Amino acid sequence: EWGRLLALLVGRFRRLDLAEDALADAFEAAARTWPRDGIPANPAAWLLTAARRRAVDRIRAEAVAARKEPLLVVDARTQQEAARAMADPGDSPAALCDDRLRLAFLCAHPSLAPEAAAALTLRLVLGVSNADLARLFLVSEPTMAARLTRARKKLAVTGAPFTLPGPDRLPERVEVIARVAYLAFTAGYSPGSGPDVVRVQLAGEAIRLTRLLRTLLQGYAAQSPSPATLLDTLLALMLLQHSRRDARVGREGGLVVLPDQDRSRWHHDEIAEALALLDRLGGQPVQGWGAELGLQAAIAACHATAPTAANTDWGRIAALYEQLEDRTGSPIVRLNRAVAVAEADGPDAGLVVLVGLDELLPRSHRVPAVRAELLARAGRAGEARAAYERAIALCDNDAERAHLLRKLAG
């Protein structure tokens, strides 16, 4: 509920610092009192009411401290703020969506660097923890906490408004939020700390944010087709990946890798929607980041349209990953290419692609995990065991660790 409630509070009080502090106090109060008094019938309403009361209390305290203002003016302002905060909000789903979109554009303000904007939106709009943000951005947790603090302070200093940008400025801000949505989606399918194999709700929120942006941009598509094309490509990629969500987790909560997934559990309606989007985009020029998304979507489509794992066109997938690596230079893309090359040309060919990745991704458990799998396939059991042990030591997701332990035992 964090992102929804924070958007409502920022919409009500027009102050990010006040809204975030008040909501944090409400969550703290819930953690303290609910175990004793029981969970309320409507937890979100309880949290919103508690947060609003704390915000009003702080406004009153600030009013008392503002001794340079005439007392009657301060009292009148405080009463207006309190009345507005405690009134029945009557928040419709459409209004709530608008508030969340305004909050997203606030976090993606041009005064912030793109990575800071992405981290702040993930934290405030979608509630990703600092620890998982640090893992997603490949930095330490204290570094991420400091980055978020600087971003909040910069928004306060610049006085960024809680409004949607006008038609002339909207397209230039879209890519930032699209990148934020993509990072949120990636966070949902890159297991963080704890027991979850995937965080389907987080990925679903990223898709919803993308759909909202597409709806908002419909009136501007004729003026600036590039943002609409970008969002269509992004949505197609997300839907193709998200369609496999139910098959990624076994009946007992364990990780199920792609070759072992029950393809009848894939959401084929979402695959059809994504393929239709890609068909419509076929003749449209896509540049920059959109071209990278298009390559990723083409790879996902290869998996989605293969009737069985054995029928997957790994040669095409390896070629697409090579194009993507040429564009991005990303070590993560190279890791994925190693898997595809191994499937197409054998484990020894995949191991060659892995050379040097440990230095580029020193904290990633996936590099030694992939190496272990390929070494095992190549019959080098002793080296495979050592690589699995290295991957297990680096992995802090319970489900992935259990999967690696099973592979090691095998």
Side-chain angles (χ1 to χ4, degrees):
E1 301 294 344
W2 176 273
R4 295 181 178 88
L5 298 179
L6 185 63
L8 287 170
L9 291 166
V10 175
R12 180 80 47 191
F13 295 103
R14 295 298 195 266
R15 283 178 52 186
L16 180 59
D17 61 331
L18 177 65
E20 195 175 4
D21 288 347
L23 188 56
D25 287 347
F27 269 71
E28 183 276 330
R32 179 166 34 83
T33 61
W34 289 3
R36 181 191 67 218
D37 301 337
I39 298 176
N42 190 334
W46 190 101
L47 289 164
L48 183 59
T49 300
R52 282 175 168 160
R53 286 174 178 162
R54 281 156 177 77
V56 170
D57 288 344
R58 178 165 163 183
I59 290 171
R60 287 173 176 155
E62 290 175 353
V64 170
R67 300 188 182 281
K68 293 183 180 179
E69 297 185 47
L71 184 58
L72 289 177
V73 173
V74 173
D75 284 346
R77 187 188 69 191
T78 305
Q79 289 172 12
Q80 290 168 3
E81 292 281 7
R84 202 161 54 237
M86 299 311 297
D88 179 10
D91 297 308
S92 67
L96 177 55
C97 287
D98 285 347
D99 277 346
R100 296 192 76 191
L101 201 55
R102 288 188 183 96
L103 182 59
F105 273 112
L106 175 65
C107 294
H109 193 267
S111 65
L112 298 180
E115 281 206 342
L120 192 65
T121 307
L122 290 173
R123 179 73 192 98
L124 299 186
V125 180
L126 298 178
V128 181
S129 72
N130 282 7
D132 285 342
L133 280 175
R135 189 169 297 105
L136 184 63
F137 284 91
L138 303 178
V139 298
S140 68
E141 191 170 345
T143 298
M144 178 52 64
R147 182 178 295 176
L148 291 170
T149 298
R150 288 195 298 271
R152 291 183 181 98
K153 287 181 178 178
K154 192 157 192 176
L155 284 181
V157 169
T158 57
F162 187 66
T163 57
L164 294 176
D168 56 329
R169 294 172 50 227
L170 190 60
E172 69 190 37
R173 303 269 299 275
V174 167
E175 183 172 328
V176 176
I177 302 200
R179 287 181 180 274
V180 165
Y182 180 65
L183 283 166
F185 186 83
T186 302
Y189 283 107
S190 300
S193 57
D196 296 332
V197 178
V198 294
R199 288 167 287 172
V200 171
Q201 186 174 7
L202 176 58
E205 289 294 325
I207 290 174
R208 195 158 73 90
L209 179 59
T210 304
R211 289 192 188 278
L212 274 174
L213 277 172
R214 289 174 76 244
T215 301
L216 183 68
L217 280 175
Q218 283 176 355
Y220 308 105
Q223 302 173 32
S224 183
S226 180
T229 301
L230 174 69
L231 292 174
D232 284 351
T233 308
L234 175 60
L235 181 61
L237 171 60
M238 288 179 170
L239 288 172
L240 288 168
Q241 300 283 13
H242 199 53
S243 68
R244 304 199 299 265
R245 59 190 175 276
D246 293 340
R248 292 173 184 259
V249 183
R251 300 193 183 279
E252 305 201 357
L255 175 69
V256 181
V257 294
L258 180 59
D260 299 330
Q261 288 177 11
D262 179 357
R263 298 184 180 219
S264 67
R265 299 184 65 199
W266 290 1
H267 291 251
H268 293 279
D269 57 332
E270 294 175 4
I271 293 173
E273 182 185 355
L275 294 176
L277 281 169
L278 293 177
D279 283 343
R280 287 201 298 271
L281 291 171
Q284 298 188 44
V286 183
Q287 300 176 346
W289 184 53
E292 297 171 21
L293 293 179
L295 287 168
Q296 293 183 56
I299 292 167
C302 286
H303 289 298
T305 55
T308 66
N311 295 122
T312 303
D313 188 349
W314 285 107
R316 173 167 166 73
I317 291 173
L320 289 167
Y321 270 127
E322 187 171 11
Q323 293 178 48
L324 189 59
E325 186 182 358
D326 288 342
R327 277 187 166 274
T328 65
S330 165
I332 299 293
V333 172
R334 188 163 139 208
L335 177 62
N336 290 330
R337 182 166 75 86
V339 174
V341 167
E343 293 289 350
D345 301 325
D348 289 327
L351 287 167
V352 171
V353 180
L354 286 178
V355 172
L357 275 183
D358 293 288
E359 291 75 19
L360 297 173
L361 297 169
R363 290 191 289 269
S364 172
H365 67 279
R366 292 202 170 93
V367 177
V370 170
R371 179 177 288 109
E373 173 69 19
L374 299 187
L375 287 168
R377 291 187 191 181
R380 296 157 64 178
E383 294 172 81
R385 278 194 293 272
Y388 273 126
E389 288 167 357
R390 169 70 175 159
I392 290 163
L394 288 171
C395 182
D396 54 9
N397 178 264
D398 298 346
E400 282 197 300
R401 190 187 303 109
H403 174 75
L404 292 170
L405 285 167
R406 286 194 297 273
K407 299 290 285 187
L408 175 60

